[in-house]
Amino acid sequence: MEALTTSFDTREIVVNMGPQHPSTHGVLRVILRLDGEMVVDADCVIGYLHRGCEKLGESRMYHQMIPTTDRLDYIAAISNNLCYCETVEKLYGIKAPPRAQYVRVILAELTRISSHLLWLATHALDIGAMTVFIYCFREREHILDIFEGYCGARLTNSALRVGGLPNDIQPDFKQKVKEFCDILPARIEEYEGLLTKNRIWMNRTIGVGILKPQDAIDLGVSGPTLRGSGVDWDVRKSNPYACYDEFEFDIPLGKTGDTYDRYLCRIEEMRQSRRIILQALERMPEGEIRAKLARTAKPPAGEVYHTIEAPKGQIGWYLVSDGSQKAYRWRVRAPSFVNLQALAKMVKGQLVADVVAVIGSIDIVLGEVDR
């Protein structure tokens, strides 16, 4: 932002939105320069939640850092687990057994649905739709019950291990997942019945916060924020990991790159996640759930980078090994952090109330913005 400390034209004012503001989805401070109700410029100020996770990774053994990955995007802990564990596995030169990979995919796609449900609930609430908030939490509880049955935790799951899984799935796991998949289509139709053709929702989202495809690419955004702008990029398709190359699913894309398109993309992504889960349940092989790796094993010296498609976008881990049991460097490419830089471009020329809608459409979690 240019020279906020200098004198302004009498028509311009500077307003702080946050860092204690429910619609900023955490401790985010947005400095808005306004001409009346119109946003002239915006500057995001972060760092209020910094915990030094990346530095902690250099003083803990590789397997000890799995719980810390939960605390980044704590709405999608299992996706964080998956990316980190696969990065460490690449460093060690091992691969999880087929059964473990199938269970990982099911858990990761349930996490994607859970994350999108929380996003839709809070995004709708930001814009004034209370009923959707209650409905989305109703379905999210089913997913959290499944997670609790599998690993004993509902939010910060620590559900995976380097080399595979901590435990095999319980006898009723498949049945519970199938039951959830059976009810989900009708519930998504309920959300859409409340919002998709609702004229208030459409007025608040269509044409608001447009991000053009080239701007999205130049800014490095990913996930639904990128695909909402019509850019066909999903790591599950472009660089398949786990066993995603064995499943059929589509990548929903937007047309104009506005808040409404980002909403539609995430709605359709929940349907596609369900499609992947059903295929994985049907084809899940028997066998081992963890590769053989001694807890005290030391990886060879070197560096690796691995990325996956998390619910909020492309998350990546960069690890440097010096041959010891601890990482020499432990760094995260957090999608919320990268996507947030698009906010200023998306809100210029919009109204103050539109800033709330645009922040919600990016779907950020400050736990992985600040780290």
Side-chain angles (χ1 to χ4, degrees):
M1 178 178 290
E2 299 178 1
L4 283 178
T5 58
T6 62
S7 59
F8 301 103
D9 183 279
T10 54
R11 298 196 313 164
E12 290 188 0
I13 61 172
V14 174
V15 174
N16 278 296
M17 177 181 285
Q20 292 82 25
H21 194 297
S23 296
T24 60
H25 292 246
V27 283
L28 171 67
R29 177 186 175 202
V30 184
I31 305 175
L32 297 173
R33 182 187 287 180
L34 305 177
D35 181 355
E37 286 286 312
M38 190 73 68
V39 177
V40 177
D41 205 351
D43 189 23
C44 294
V45 182
I46 62 175
Y48 295 94
L49 198 61
H50 180 60
R51 295 154 294 162
C53 292
E54 292 169 320
K55 199 63 181 174
L56 282 173
E58 299 170 11
S59 60
R60 303 285 190 276
M61 289 189 289
Y62 290 101
H63 66 274
Q64 291 178 321
M65 287 304 294
I66 293 174
T68 304
T69 68
D70 295 345
R71 274 74 178 175
L72 298 172
D73 179 2
Y74 41 80
I75 309 302
I78 293 178
S79 293
N80 301 351
N81 297 165
L82 176 58
C83 185
Y84 176 69
C85 287
E86 287 201 336
T87 308
V88 178
E89 288 161 10
K90 185 183 290 189
L91 186 63
Y92 275 93
I94 62 174
K95 195 171 183 179
R99 181 175 178 83
Q101 291 190 27
Y102 270 71
V103 176
R104 284 178 169 187
V105 166
I106 292 172
L107 294 173
E109 292 307 311
L110 285 172
T111 298
R112 193 180 313 278
I113 296 172
S114 173
S115 177
H116 285 354
L117 286 173
L118 184 62
W119 159 79
L120 182 58
T122 54
H123 186 41
L125 190 63
D126 288 345
I127 300 178
M130 181 69 182
T131 303
V132 182
F133 179 90
I134 299 170
Y135 281 16
C136 289
F137 266 72
R138 175 188 61 188
E139 274 66 75
R140 186 167 174 266
E141 280 297 302
H142 285 275
I143 298 177
L144 299 187
D145 287 344
I146 293 170
F147 289 164
E148 185 178 16
Y150 172 68
C151 64
R154 297 170 66 82
L155 187 69
T156 49
N157 309 99
S158 300
L160 309 183
R161 295 293 183 272
V162 175
L165 307 172
N167 301 294
D168 204 347
I169 56 175
Q170 65 270 32
D172 61 347
F173 178 85
K174 289 185 178 181
Q175 179 186 347
K176 288 184 176 179
V177 175
K178 181 66 166 57
E179 289 173 354
F180 172 74
C181 289
D182 288 342
I183 67 170
L184 185 61
R187 301 300 168 82
I188 294 177
E189 288 182 9
E190 281 187 336
Y191 314 149
E192 289 214 88
L194 290 167
L195 296 178
T196 303
K197 297 302 180 181
N198 184 307
R199 66 179 184 177
I200 299 175
W201 182 260
M202 295 171 73
N203 288 339
R204 290 297 308 275
T205 58
I206 293 178
V208 173
I210 293 176
L211 184 64
K212 296 178 181 178
Q214 192 57 52
D215 289 334
I217 294 171
D218 291 344
L219 289 166
V221 304
S222 59
T225 307
L226 176 67
R227 293 188 288 274
S229 296
V231 181
D232 189 359
W233 179 262
D234 188 308
V235 182
R236 294 173 296 174
K237 287 281 192 180
S238 60
N239 298 288
Y241 54 94
C243 53
Y244 276 103
D245 55 347
E246 300 180 25
F247 306 118
E248 295 180 3
F249 60 99
D250 300 320
I251 306 301
L253 302 175
K255 297 179 181 178
T256 60
D258 57 10
T259 299
Y260 190 71
D261 274 352
R262 291 186 282 276
Y263 155 75
L264 291 177
C265 280
R266 290 188 178 92
I267 289 290
E268 183 57 31
E269 279 192 11
M270 288 193 280
R271 294 190 173 103
Q272 294 302 319
S273 291
R274 173 185 177 271
R275 185 178 170 190
I276 294 170
I277 291 168
L278 289 175
Q279 293 176 67
L281 287 174
E282 183 180 351
R283 305 176 192 173
M284 186 184 298
E286 299 295 331
E288 297 293 326
I289 59 166
R290 195 185 314 169
K292 292 183 179 180
L293 178 68
R295 186 172 289 269
T296 57
K298 297 178 181 179
E303 59 181 357
V304 295
Y305 178 75
H306 181 65
T307 184
I308 72 166
E309 190 68 37
K312 293 171 178 60
Q314 192 170 331
I315 185 172
W317 248 276
Y318 172 68
L319 298 176
V320 179
S321 168
D322 59 1
S324 69
Q325 292 180 310
K326 303 173 184 178
Y328 180 75
R329 285 289 182 269
W330 196 96
R331 296 290 184 266
V332 187
R333 183 207 187 273
S336 292
F337 175 76
V338 180
N339 292 351
L340 186 59
Q341 68 180 332
L343 180 66
K345 183 172 286 291
M346 295 161 73
V347 300
K348 287 180 183 178
Q350 303 291 324
L351 300 176
V352 176
D354 294 332
V355 177
V356 173
V358 174
I359 291 175
S361 75
I362 301 175
D363 188 19
I364 59 170
V365 163
L366 269 295
E368 70 173 9
V369 172
D370 292 342
R371 301 188 296 288

